Amino acid sequence: PKAGYTASVWGGDCAPGGTITLLPGDNKTCTITNDDIAPKLTLVKTVVNNNGGGAGVGDFPLFIDGVAAVSGTAYDVTANALHTATETPKAGYTASVWGGDCAPGGAITLLPGDNKTCTITNDDVAPTPATLTVTKVVVNDNGGAAVVGDFTLKVDATTVTSGVPAQFNAGAHTVSETGPVG
């Protein structure tokens, strides 16, 4: 048998296993049909959320030749034809090149009976740092003697110095202080 094809049982004058008995003068015909097996293409999406992202696999629509596909599902495609895997990008994520059995741009040609997989990974982008300056002002107009250095300033759990810019990831933060009573 040829790879990528399935054979029927023998037919015509042959038994299903291909046996035949010929008598003198017989003129018989045996037939068999070989059918090509539709190749299967699977797209596999991986999402990496190591910088605060929250997207999942379903947030990046996948396509085979412009037709929607679901990650991890095998689809029948036409043999000996160029196919292209694509995805819809999402802001805040970078995509790897296509890998697995696909060329980096997502192109692939399958032969009858092939079962190929193309992979792509989307990774959340580290936020661009933002600058925050916390400035402590101490007013001693009622007999107090404290100075700025007597207070500990924090952004979240990070200690900062009054008046000195510090970088933090974009997003919500909490500014707090501890210091002398009064």
Side-chain angles (χ1 to χ4, degrees):
K2 181 167 178 59
Y5 287 80
T6 57
S8 68
V9 296
W10 282 95
D13 295 319
C14 276
T19 61
I20 188 168
T21 302
L22 296 172
L23 299 175
D26 277 351
N27 185 2
K28 296 195 176 190
T29 302
C30 295
T31 59
I32 191 167
T33 301
N34 294 86
D35 188 7
D36 60 343
I37 301 168
K40 295 197 177 291
L41 179 58
T42 303
L43 306 183
V44 175
K45 157 72 65 198
T46 301
V47 178
V48 177
N49 287 312
N50 58 351
N51 289 302
V57 170
D59 293 317
F60 299 87
L62 299 172
F63 303 91
I64 298 172
D65 299 329
V67 177
V70 175
S71 179
T73 301
Y75 292 91
D76 288 347
V77 295
T78 305
N80 297 307
L82 180 64
H83 299 283
T84 305
T86 57
E87 70 164 354
T88 301
K90 183 170 181 62
Y93 285 78
T94 58
S96 67
V97 296
W98 283 93
D101 296 313
C102 270
I108 186 169
T109 300
L110 293 90
L111 300 174
D114 278 351
N115 190 352
K116 304 274 182 157
T117 300
C118 296
T119 59
I120 192 165
T121 299
N122 292 85
D123 191 354
D124 60 342
V125 178
T128 303
T131 301
L132 176 62
T133 303
V134 179
T135 302
K136 174 68 178 173
V137 177
V138 178
V139 177
N140 288 315
D141 62 353
N142 290 304
V147 295
V148 170
D150 293 332
F151 296 85
T152 301
L153 303 174
K154 292 191 176 203
V155 175
D156 301 322
T158 303
T159 300
V160 296
T161 303
S162 177
V164 177
Q167 290 190 335
F168 295 92
N169 289 337
H173 297 279
T174 301
V175 178
S176 64
E177 70 171 352
T178 57
V181 176

